Amino acid sequence: MPDTDDTLDEPAVAFATAKTAVAARLTDLAASSDVLQQEELRAYAGRGFAAGWRMPVEFSDGVRRIDLLLPAGFPWQPPRVALIDRPPFLSWPHIEHDGVLCLASDMLDVDPYDPAGVVTYMLGDAAKLIDRLIAGELITDFQDEFLSYWDHAADEGGPHFVSLLTAEPPTREVRVWRGKKFYILAETDAELERWLVNRFGKKPDGFKTDTAALLWLEAPPVPSDYPRSGQDLRRFAAAAGEDPGALLAKFVRPRPDRIVAALGFTTANGPALAGVIAPEPSAPRYGARDPLLKGFRPGTIPDSLLLARYLGNTNLIRRSIERADPDWIHGRGQDSRTAQLREKTVAVIGCGSVGAAIAVTLAQAGVGRLVLIDFDILKWSNIGRHVLGATYVGQPKSKALAEKLRSDFPHLYVTDFVCDADTAVRRHADVLASCDLVVSATGSWTADSRLDAWQETTARRIPIVYGWLEAHACAGHALLIGDAEGSLRHGFDRTGLPHFQVTVWPNGTPLRREPACGAAYQPYGPMELGFINSLIAELALDALLSATEPTHRIWVGPRKRLVQIGGGWSAVWREDSSFREEGGFILERPWPVADDSGKEAQAA
């Protein structure tokens, strides 16, 4: 064991060694530099810089000073470079408020074993960036990376903005709910109310919405053109193709205490949103004159004049907007599957450790509507491998999972039924028939065969994905019976034993028992389940997007674990052309079909 004191000193020794190497490299480069004192390092508050050098560098417009800065974690953390002689903040892109440069190389991994080489590269990169900034080549980066620079220019304090809006033109009237700490923008009141109920479990007391505006412009402004006053907001409305005397005048007429607007822009990297608040002009400090009606009786002032007075020289409050709409949550607007999945409805029957994980994955993937069906109650013994934790113990699994998903993904539609598969078929067949897919994760042959029989009788054949485990989750199966011919029962005998199994247990399946009547279980954990749950969820997504033919996929677990707990590979698996002794892979096999005599024949 190394000495404790030596271990504690190791980071300091590494930093000192790297710092010495950097100092030597600066000398080799014939760079004139001065060591930064602590007072100078404190100018970069919160950065954690422990050492640095200031040096003059010749650029196309003359000499400018730069700082080379080493964080306390150097060489394991990258060095930074700051420009001392610079124009006011937000005049040039890629320079933070304290002058530290945002270099592309900051996002790259660096070699901690060559600190001098890393510094040489960073200084060269910084010089190239500064030269381009001096030449005015990167001004359009303000627009391409609009959100970062708007965040820098946003006012401190004020409400947090969350947007459920569809981030696209045209300019239009939208709705806003104004909470104490945050505002939520949405297309309709109904969308706002449902989101809030899903997120917080109930409608806020005194729920009320107001009119807001979404002003859409084809290109974002550079910082020097950011709106600062009500007059600027009118200018933006005009640029958005909206007559300020129409949309904004409608907002002003009832004399609100503030006007809320979202500014939308088309950028090279996708749509961007920014928020502004225009407070009602305040009355003069002395006298009781109304700044809006001055010179007019109530109800007689022209709309155009009222708008000009309301949105005049009053300072706007600029705020960042955090998008929470489905397009942004599911793929940041770049996943082509999002729109398709949003229109899909999936029923998940069986909300245990398999079905619940699949439901969460489908929600994260963007499936718009989920129907959760399970009759069981969540127990303490379940939570070791279930997505639900102690908060939900004692509740029906389907109901608790629905509550969690509504809170975690407030834009989704999630319903639940506390019942078994047979009851779901008898009492809620209309709900199942309206789905695009049913996922059965019951682990019950009775339940699965009931669904198989139901599928054959439906007027519109609803695809079903079945998922099941072999003992101790040493293998797992996902089966799609789609809208073409096929049946679950073709791969099983009448008691529910599959014709093809990957594993075999010479001494019988090793079960553990609780000190209770009939309480047996298999002690596998979430790691083993993770592969199988992903297998089933992926086939479910394939079924929603394209797959229709019967598809059987198998997760063949690692041999090492199988042997450790007394199992082995089955004879039928060993004879298969895809057999691999080591395991640990996914296999796709044809699913059996019935021939004319009713006997089972393997699909070609």
Side-chain angles (χ1 to χ4, degrees):
M1 293 287 290
D3 183 84
T4 302
D5 291 339
D6 291 344
T7 302
L8 291 175
D9 289 340
E10 184 178 346
V13 171
F15 177 84
T17 302
K19 177 183 173 183
T20 300
V22 170
R25 178 59 57 88
L26 293 178
T27 300
D28 292 342
L29 294 173
S32 173
S33 60
D34 296 320
V35 175
L36 293 176
Q37 304 303 311
Q38 285 300 313
E39 181 179 349
E40 293 167 312
L41 291 173
R42 280 195 289 271
Y44 301 99
R47 297 281 193 176
F49 294 137
W53 295 263
R54 180 163 295 173
M55 59 195 74
V57 178
E58 184 76 33
F59 292 101
S60 59
D61 65 343
V63 175
R64 293 176 183 263
R65 294 168 298 165
I66 65 172
D67 283 353
L68 172 64
L69 302 156
L70 304 184
F74 187 74
W76 307 105
Q77 294 179 357
R80 302 298 298 269
V81 179
L83 178 62
I84 303 305
D85 301 311
R86 60 186 185 274
F89 181 48
L90 294 180
S91 297
W92 285 350
H94 307 298
I95 301 182
E96 299 185 35
H97 62 91
D98 56 3
V100 174
L101 303 181
C102 297
L103 300 173
S105 54
D106 291 342
M107 302 176 63
L108 303 177
D109 291 329
V110 296
D111 183 358
Y113 300 102
D114 183 16
V118 169
V119 163
T120 302
Y121 177 83
M122 295 286 279
L123 288 173
D125 216 22
K128 293 176 184 177
L129 173 62
I130 296 169
D131 272 331
R132 297 188 69 190
L133 292 173
I134 292 170
E137 296 178 6
L138 302 177
I139 295 301
T140 56
D141 288 2
F142 275 133
Q143 296 173 303
D144 297 341
E145 301 169 16
F146 170 78
L147 292 179
S148 295
Y149 298 106
W150 180 268
D151 287 347
H152 285 308
D155 296 297
E156 295 184 2
H160 181 63
F161 272 59
V162 176
S163 171
L164 310 180
L165 299 170
T166 302
E168 63 185 22
T171 290
R172 59 192 180 272
E173 180 180 322
V174 295
R175 307 299 297 173
V176 61
W177 175 78
R178 291 162 50 181
K180 292 181 179 179
K181 295 183 178 180
F182 58 92
Y183 289 2
I184 303 178
L185 293 156
E187 302 288 350
T188 65
D189 287 348
E191 183 183 15
L192 270 172
E193 181 175 346
R194 185 176 66 84
W195 194 94
L196 287 165
V197 170
N198 282 350
R199 181 67 185 90
F200 301 109
K202 65 176 184 177
K203 184 165 65 174
D205 295 337
F207 175 75
K208 176 181 176 295
T209 66
D210 297 304
T211 303
L214 172 60
L215 305 177
W216 197 273
L217 292 88
E218 284 306 307
V222 297
S224 58
D225 290 333
Y226 288 171
R228 291 170 171 78
S229 66
Q231 191 173 15
D232 289 338
L233 184 58
R234 291 163 55 200
R235 175 171 55 84
F236 270 66
E242 179 62 37
D243 177 5
L247 183 64
L248 294 182
K250 178 181 178 180
F251 297 165
V252 170
R253 201 171 297 125
R255 299 283 304 276
D257 65 331
R258 56 184 53 195
I259 292 174
V260 177
L263 308 177
F265 308 99
T266 302
T267 81
N269 298 315
L273 297 177
V276 294
I277 299 172
E280 182 182 20
S282 56
R285 179 174 298 182
Y286 301 104
R289 291 181 301 169
D290 187 322
L292 295 179
L293 296 181
K294 182 173 58 176
F296 291 87
R297 294 189 302 275
T300 64
I301 184 171
D303 284 350
S304 58
L305 182 57
L306 180 63
L307 179 65
R309 288 180 175 180
Y310 197 112
L311 296 178
N313 294 323
T314 303
N315 289 335
L316 294 179
I317 301 171
R318 293 189 299 230
R319 300 295 295 155
S320 297
I321 290 182
E322 186 172 359
R323 287 180 60 182
D325 57 283
D327 277 345
W328 187 252
I329 288 175
H330 305 292
R332 303 191 189 188
Q334 304 297 319
D335 193 333
S336 60
R337 301 171 299 176
T338 300
Q340 188 176 351
L341 291 173
R342 188 188 312 154
E343 302 303 318
K344 301 295 185 180
T345 301
V346 178
V348 178
I349 303 179
C351 297
S353 55
V354 175
I358 292 168
V360 170
T361 300
L362 294 177
Q364 291 174 324
V367 172
R369 291 172 173 80
L370 291 170
V371 180
L372 307 179
I373 299 171
D374 197 305
F375 64 91
D376 201 11
I377 303 296
L378 187 73
K379 304 178 181 65
W380 284 102
S381 56
N382 298 141
I383 66 175
R385 58 192 188 197
H386 203 283
V387 299
L388 297 174
T391 303
Y392 299 99
V393 167
Q395 299 183 35
K397 292 178 181 177
S398 58
K399 187 171 291 296
L401 182 60
E403 178 184 327
K404 173 180 171 58
L405 290 178
R406 282 191 289 264
S407 178
D408 289 349
F409 306 94
H411 58 285
L412 301 184
Y413 293 84
V414 186
T415 57
D416 64 274
F417 297 97
V418 182
C419 64
D420 59 22
D422 176 63
T423 303
V425 169
R426 287 186 292 106
R427 296 184 180 178
H428 308 294
D430 58 331
V431 175
L432 296 180
S434 69
C435 293
D436 298 287
L437 177 71
V438 173
V439 176
S440 178
T442 65
S444 164
W445 168 244
T446 302
D448 286 351
S449 58
R450 179 68 177 96
L451 291 170
D452 186 50
W454 167 78
Q455 185 188 41
E456 294 184 347
T457 64
T458 56
R460 180 175 72 91
R461 187 177 170 94
I462 310 301
I464 300 178
V465 168
Y466 299 92
W468 68 93
L469 315 179
E470 295 192 23
H472 289 275
C474 288
H477 299 253
L479 170 66
L480 166 63
I481 302 297
D483 55 15
E485 291 297 321
S487 176
L488 171 73
R489 66 178 180 273
H490 295 156
F492 292 81
D493 68 15
R494 293 185 178 181
T495 64
L497 291 177
H499 297 310
F500 182 88
Q501 291 199 90
V502 170
T503 64
V504 67
W505 303 85
N507 299 318
T509 304
L511 294 175
R512 305 290 188 271
R513 294 192 175 277
E514 298 178 13
C517 180
Y521 66 97
Q522 296 178 10
Y524 53 83
M527 278 66 71
E528 294 82 18
L529 279 180
F531 295 99
I532 300 170
N533 290 344
S534 296
L535 178 84
I536 301 168
E538 183 179 37
L539 183 56
L541 285 178
D542 288 348
L544 289 170
L545 295 170
S546 61
T548 58
E549 297 296 322
T551 304
H552 181 206
R553 294 176 187 165
I554 305 170
W555 163 249
V556 181
R559 175 183 179 277
K560 180 179 179 181
R561 179 173 178 272
L562 174 68
V563 172
Q564 284 176 341
I565 55 179
W569 300 130
S570 68
V572 66
W573 170 224
R574 286 186 174 278
E575 294 170 1
D576 193 276
S577 60
S578 300
F579 176 74
R580 283 158 44 187
E581 182 71 38
E582 73 278 8
F585 64 95
I586 292 174
L587 165 72
E588 187 164 318
R589 299 183 78 251
W591 186 249
V593 297
D595 63 16
D596 293 337
S597 64
K599 297 179 181 179
E600 292 167 356
Q602 191 69 24

